[in-house]
Amino acid sequence: MARLLKRGDRVRYGPRRRQNKTAAVALVLAGLWAGLGAGMAAADPLRLLALGDSLTQGYGLPAGEGLVPQLQAWLRGQGLDVHVINAGVSGDTTAGGRARIDWALAEDPDAVMVALGGNDLLRGLPPAEARANLEAILATIDARGLPALIAGLPAPPNYGAGYKADFDAIWPELAAAHDAVLVENLLGPIAALPPETRAERGLMQADGIHPSARGVEKVVEALGPRVAELLARVPQRP
C-alpha cells in the first residue's frame, strides 16, 4: 500500500503481466466454456455475488469504475455471460459480512466471492474473530451448495510477527477447508509495486488506501482468471 498501516487505524479499507499469463488464462476459460457451452447463450446470465467492503463497493470511484463493474466487464470480455452483484458495504468487517450473508444470498447467486477482512486488520481486531466470522460465512455458502472464492489481505510486518502469522494464515487454511478458490492478497498486484511506481502510474486514490480506477483495472487483471475458475465450478444447468 502507499503507507504502512498502523494497528488501531480506523481508515476504511474499502473499495496487463500479459504474455506469461495468457496460457493459464486460456486454459481456465476453455474449461469454463466446455462446461457451460452453448447453454449459457440461451440461459440467464450466471449470477456472482461479491460480498465485501469498500474495495468491493467501489469507494471513491465513479459508477462503472469500481471493482464490480470492471470485473463484470472483464468476464464478459472473455465471452462469459455473468452478472456480478455488488454486495460491498464500505467499512464492513467480517462480523458485518457474517451478519448479512443470509439476506445477501437472497439474491440467488450461482457463486460467491468473499472479500472481507481489511477493516478487521485496520482496527487491529483479533485474527481468531476474523477467522470465526469467515468460517461461518463459508459454511453458510457451503450449505447452499454454492462454489466460493475467498480473497484476503495480508497484515503488514509492524503488527508483530505473531499477529501477522495468525492473520495471514486465515485465507489459505479456510480455502483448503472449504474447497474455495483462493486469492491470498486482493491488492497484491498493486502492493507488489514500490510506492513511487504506484504514484507514477496513478494506481491509488489520494487517501493512499483505496485503488484508483487504474488500480482496480490492475487488480481485476489478476482477479479475473481466478473468478473464471470459480465460475467453472458452477454446475451445468439442465
Side-chain angles (χ1 to χ4, degrees), residues 112-136:
V112 184
M113 179 178 78
V114 180
L116 288 163
N119 287 305
D120 299 66
L121 178 60
L122 286 169
R123 298 174 189 183
L125 300 178
E129 291 183 8
R131 178 186 288 269
N133 291 327
L134 289 168
E135 172 76 42

Side-chain angles (χ1 to χ4, degrees), residues 93-175:
T93 61
T94 57
R98 180 177 183 175
R100 62 189 177 89
I101 182 61
D102 284 315
W103 61 259
L105 289 172
E107 294 280 357
D108 194 26
D110 297 291
V112 184
M113 179 178 78
V114 180
L116 288 163
N119 287 305
D120 299 66
L121 178 60
L122 286 169
R123 298 174 189 183
L125 300 178
E129 291 183 8
R131 178 186 288 269
N133 291 327
L134 289 168
E135 172 76 42
I137 290 170
L138 289 172
T140 301
I141 295 168
D142 289 348
R144 304 289 184 96
L146 302 174
L149 177 151
I150 184 168
L153 293 165
N158 60 319
Y159 274 53
Y163 188 103
K164 178 172 175 58
D166 291 344
F167 197 86
D168 293 359
I170 293 172
W171 286 272
E173 291 179 2
L174 288 183

